[in-house]
Amino acid sequence: QVQLVESGGGLVQAGDSLRLSCTTSGRSFGSYAMGWFRQAPGKEREFLAHITWNGENTYYGDSVKGRFTISRDGAKNTAWLQMNSLKPEDTAVYYCAVIVHGPNSYGQSRFYDYWGQGTQVTVSE
């Protein structure tokens, strides 16, 4: 089992940057891939970014490509989502998740086995 805790959310203005953190415990950090999703009120959960277990490959959703960057550090058991040029439409609850038993794939929430509790990001005009 893997426990995940997100942090770093908050209220920012359009154009600002924010970095979210996801700290994990319970299983060897290098044994799973990680992803970030978000969910706005009344909308489906949206895939944002994915990083492989060794950090060598990253993948992004179209809506954040070029603005968001995912990274991870095994020594800190932590992954980050650097978010730049934030827009009001980025307002949502942001979640990190890991694939432990699922397929060697990414992007669909059903692939991810464990989830954090989420952190709120609000971007004002």
Side-chain angles (χ1 to χ4, degrees):
Q1 194 169 3
V2 180
Q3 293 79 42
L4 302 92
V5 179
E6 302 100 334
S7 61
L11 173 63
V12 297
Q13 293 185 327
D16 285 351
S17 297
L18 205 58
R19 189 175 78 157
L20 305 182
S21 300
C22 176
T23 301
T24 70
S25 61
R27 191 179 177 102
S28 174
F29 187 75
S31 65
Y32 45 80
M34 302 183 71
W36 285 94
F37 290 75
R38 68 185 178 192
Q39 189 164 19
K43 295 188 177 181
E44 293 187 353
R45 191 162 293 189
E46 178 187 9
F47 167 72
L48 301 177
H50 178 92
I51 188 167
T52 52
W53 65 273
N54 56 7
E56 289 188 354
N57 295 292
T58 57
Y59 308 89
Y60 295 93
D62 289 341
S63 65
V64 302
K65 201 171 295 183
R67 296 191 300 128
F68 290 11
T69 303
I70 189 172
S71 60
R72 63 189 292 166
D73 184 340
K76 298 181 179 180
N77 284 4
T78 299
W80 296 272
L81 185 68
Q82 177 66 43
M83 306 185 295
N84 298 329
S85 303
L86 284 163
K87 307 173 183 179
E89 50 264 44
D90 293 319
T91 295
V93 177
Y94 284 67
Y95 300 90
C96 64
V98 301
I99 298 177
V100 176
H101 308 293
N104 182 25
S105 186
Y106 67 94
Q108 297 188 42
S109 58
R110 62 187 177 90
F111 293 159
Y112 296 77
D113 304 293
Y114 301 100
W115 294 77
Q117 82 290 349
T119 185
Q120 176 71 44
V121 173
T122 303
V123 184
S124 63
E125 297 279 356

